[in-house]
Amino acid sequence: MKRTQWMIFMLLLAVAGCKNTPKEKTGVTLVNHKWELKTMMQADSVVKSPEKMPTLFFTDSTAVYGFAGCNNFFGVYHVEEDGGMILTPGGATMMACPDLVFEDSYLKSLNQVARYTIQGDELKLTDTDGKLTLIYVPVTE
């Protein structure tokens, strides 16, 4: 009896581990990784990076949260099978910092995201007309 229960438990554990998460052939998944901004481009120009780089974390539900360079933020996201993405920041802390101009631009850019791709170890978020590109790398802690 105990052996049967153990086998059922292991089967359920294996099935739970097969949850469908967006990923590329490299095996790096969008979710459950902390991503750090590497480059932000607007209208073919690289935006000067802040002192502290922004981060993103996509949960395996629809929640996203991160650090915008000064303040922490949270929101929701939705992904499509074809790489479409909608990111909707919901709120942020309100500390004053020297990089608030960058942070405001960064948070507004998250609202413009329409697509995502993962190439190698880089996450790339883009808008519909290709004028905005956010490139992230996974944080290894």
Side-chain angles (χ1 to χ4, degrees):
M1 181 68 174
K2 286 186 180 187
R3 184 175 180 171
T4 304
Q5 289 174 337
W6 178 252
M7 296 285 284
I8 291 172
F9 173 73
M10 293 305 289
L11 180 63
L12 289 173
L13 189 61
V15 170
C18 294
K19 185 172 181 177
N20 186 15
T21 58
K23 65 180 172 180
E24 294 294 317
K25 293 176 184 169
T26 61
V28 177
T29 61
L30 175 68
V31 300
N32 296 327
H33 281 90
K34 186 176 185 180
W35 297 95
E36 181 176 79
L37 184 67
K38 177 181 172 185
T39 308
M40 179 173 165
M41 296 180 62
Q42 291 178 327
D44 296 327
S45 311
V46 175
V47 176
K48 184 179 180 262
S49 298
E51 188 177 310
K52 295 180 181 177
M53 294 303 281
T55 60
L56 279 177
F57 188 89
F58 297 92
T59 67
D60 58 358
S61 63
T62 61
V64 61
Y65 61 88
F67 174 72
C70 177
N71 290 287
N72 294 311
F73 69 92
F74 64 92
V76 294
Y77 75 100
H78 176 74
V79 292
E80 299 289 332
E81 297 265 337
D82 66 352
M85 175 183 273
I86 299 170
L87 254 174
T88 310
T93 57
M94 299 181 69
M95 295 179 3
C97 298
D99 291 326
L100 284 179
V101 172
F102 172 86
E103 181 172 280
D104 184 52
S105 176
Y106 174 73
L107 289 173
K108 286 179 181 174
S109 72
L110 292 178
N111 279 324
Q112 299 171 11
V113 168
R115 302 202 56 75
Y116 84 97
T117 57
I118 298 175
Q119 298 172 337
D121 284 343
E122 291 186 340
L123 167 65
K124 185 187 283 188
L125 305 179
T126 56
D127 64 356
T128 53
D129 31 341
K131 293 183 180 180
L132 169 73
T133 304
L134 302 165
I135 301 172
Y136 297 84
V137 292
V139 175
T140 55
E141 296 179 300

